[in-house]
């Protein structure tokens, strides 16, 4: 994943049911980079920030498998 690159959602049939409607026709996704959270017990959780439909969304690392570089077709 590269900051500033555009991605598209692939493998839509595997999307989590709870967010399928949002992601199904979302269009291009701009990757903003890692979003780190330091927990009270001293751990660091690495999430990922994207811009989609004009909204900043935070994604778990497991969601990255649905993002593929936007192809120019």
């Amino acid at each position: 994943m590269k900051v500033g690159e555009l991605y598209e959602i692939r493998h839509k049939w595997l999307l989590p049911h709870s967010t399928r409607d949002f992601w199904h026709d979302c269009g291009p996704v701009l990757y903003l980079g890692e979003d780190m959270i330091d927990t009270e017990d001293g751990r660091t959780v690495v999430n990922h920030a994207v811009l989609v439909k004009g909204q900043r969304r935070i994604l778990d690392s497991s969601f990255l498998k649905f993002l593929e570089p936007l192809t120019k077709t």
Side-chain angles (χ1 to χ4, degrees):
M1 304 289 300
K2 294 182 181 179
V3 175
E5 295 281 324
L6 289 174
Y7 292 84
E8 59 187 338
I9 301 292
R10 294 298 182 118
H11 313 295
K12 294 178 182 178
W13 65 91
L14 294 172
L15 287 168
H17 181 70
S18 61
T19 61
R20 185 175 296 147
D21 289 341
F22 178 83
W23 293 106
H24 192 267
D25 294 317
C26 68
V29 176
L30 177 65
Y31 182 69
L32 301 175
E34 292 181 344
D35 187 86
M36 311 289 239
I37 299 171
D38 294 319
T39 63
E40 291 179 10
D41 63 358
R43 294 183 318 128
T44 300
V45 178
V46 180
N47 288 316
H48 300 270
V50 296
L51 186 66
V52 59
K53 292 184 176 180
Q55 301 174 21
R56 185 175 188 267
R57 302 284 289 225
I58 302 298
L59 306 176
D60 182 273
S61 295
S62 66
F63 196 88
L64 297 182
K65 65 186 171 199
F66 297 109
L67 298 178
E68 291 188 5
L70 186 65
T71 57
K72 297 178 182 177
T73 56

